[in-house]
Structures are given as C-alpha cells and as structure tokens.
Amino acid sequence: MLSRRAFLASSAAASLWPQIGSAETVFDPTPQEVRIKKQFAPGQILVLPRSYYLYYVTEPRRARRYGVGVGRAGLEFTGTAVIQAKKEWPTWRPTPEMIERDPRSYARFVDNKYIQPGGTDNPLGARALYLFQNGIDTYFRIHGTNQPQTIGHSVSNGCIRMTNEHIVDLYERVPLGTVVTVL
C-alpha cells in the first residue's frame, strides 16, 4: 500500500521529469527533439537513469534526447556536476575501486600504472565529458562506448554511456561549464 507521504514524494519527483507523451512506451535511443518542462534552462544536460535518457536542453521547453546506458545499482552517479574537461579518443584506467570490485576483469591494471590509449577498443569510446563537483573530478563521465548493445541498460560502473555516434554529436554541442543534473 502506498502511503500518502510516498505518493507525494514520488509525485514531486515526477514533476521534475521532462514531459513525455503517453503514447511513448518503447525505448528509442535515437536522438530526437522533444518537449521538456520549462524549469530546465537552455544549455543544461538532464539525465534520467531510470528511463535511460539524456536530455540536452536546446531552448526553453525543447531538448535533444539521446538514449544512454547507466550505472549498475549502487554504482550510479546522482546529483549535479559541471563538465570541466572534454577529450577526443580519451585514455582510460579503471579506478582503484573498480579494480578492487572485479580484479579478474581488470587484471592488466593490477599492480601497475598502465593506462589504455584512446581508440576503438577503449571503453570510453570516441569522446568523453568529465564531470566535476566544486572543481574536483568525480571520476564519472558521459562517454562513448565500444559496446552499443548496453545502451538502455544499467551495466556500467557509474558512468553515462552513449553510442560513439551520439557522444560525438553531443560533444560538438556542449561547451565546458555545462551543468549536468542526474536524477
């Protein structure tokens, strides 16, 4: 049974979400222009992990929507951050926490300083947008992926993933200083 308090809290949270037509029930990762609630300012990024969409607000009440993959339960990023770095074909090294959680998957990174060069085999894909809070790197990224089948799923170590084609498009649109909110 849903309590009044739970109902009101979920209703308040839902009011922050972009306006989505009731006919839309199938996940579609294809970038498209959509309506969004007016409280989101042009130039901001909004990520709704439960629906697997990222919205780049282009003008009042309008956004470009992309399908994304998000962090597994317990590893997801939430809150507000700022894009303070952007890189094409970024290098990558898993965080110490990632290596500790799954040393077998990250065996080539154990007990060394190896950094994987950028390229098609790199998990960060073609582009990466680096999220910072109060000038400190969160180690969370919005990035491409060499596993496009993961879009629309909760599989990452917390980052927001996009197809390489879509991250290249977003990368060209967003400047440094863009505010990112993940609900």
Side-chain angles (χ1 to χ4, degrees):
M1 173 116 169
L2 188 63
S3 71
R4 182 175 189 274
R5 179 176 289 172
F7 174 77
L8 292 173
S10 64
S11 297
S15 71
L16 294 174
W17 289 34
Q19 293 172 333
I20 296 174
S22 60
E24 182 182 356
T25 57
V26 177
F27 176 73
D28 182 0
T30 308
Q32 48 196 285
E33 302 301 317
V34 296
R35 288 183 50 80
I36 193 165
K37 294 204 175 187
K38 67 182 176 182
Q39 69 257 40
F40 299 104
Q44 293 182 329
I45 291 176
L46 172 66
V47 181
L48 300 178
R50 287 179 288 190
S51 63
Y52 303 104
Y53 287 118
L54 176 151
Y55 298 82
Y56 175 57
V57 183
T58 56
E59 58 186 79
R61 296 183 174 262
R62 302 293 300 166
R64 184 162 176 85
R65 184 185 75 186
Y66 302 85
V68 297
V70 298
R72 294 187 306 259
L75 300 177
E76 60 274 283
F77 173 83
T78 58
T80 300
V82 174
I83 297 171
Q84 282 191 232
K86 294 171 51 171
K87 295 186 181 170
E88 296 183 16
W89 295 106
T91 59
W92 177 75
R93 179 175 172 80
T95 65
E97 295 80 11
M98 290 168 65
I99 295 169
E100 185 178 320
R101 266 193 309 274
D102 194 356
R104 185 189 235 166
S105 291
Y106 301 116
R108 66 184 164 157
F109 298 97
V110 174
D111 297 327
N112 63 55
K113 302 275 186 213
Y114 175 70
I115 296 175
Q116 184 171 348
T120 56
D121 293 333
N122 187 304
L124 293 186
R127 305 287 186 275
L129 305 171
Y130 293 68
L131 304 181
F132 285 67
Q133 289 180 320
N134 301 316
I136 299 170
D137 190 352
T138 64
Y139 293 98
F140 288 100
R141 316 281 184 246
I142 299 172
H143 63 80
T145 183
N146 55 16
Q147 299 176 318
Q149 71 278 10
T150 64
I151 303 305
H153 299 281
S154 301
V155 296
S156 79
N157 278 288
C159 291
I160 307 299
R161 359 174 123 176
M162 303 173 72
T163 66
N164 280 327
E165 178 183 353
H166 299 167
I167 189 63
V168 168
D169 179 66
L170 182 65
Y171 182 94
E172 296 300 323
R173 294 173 187 272
V174 301
L176 291 177
T178 297
V179 174
V180 178
T181 302
V182 183
L183 298 178

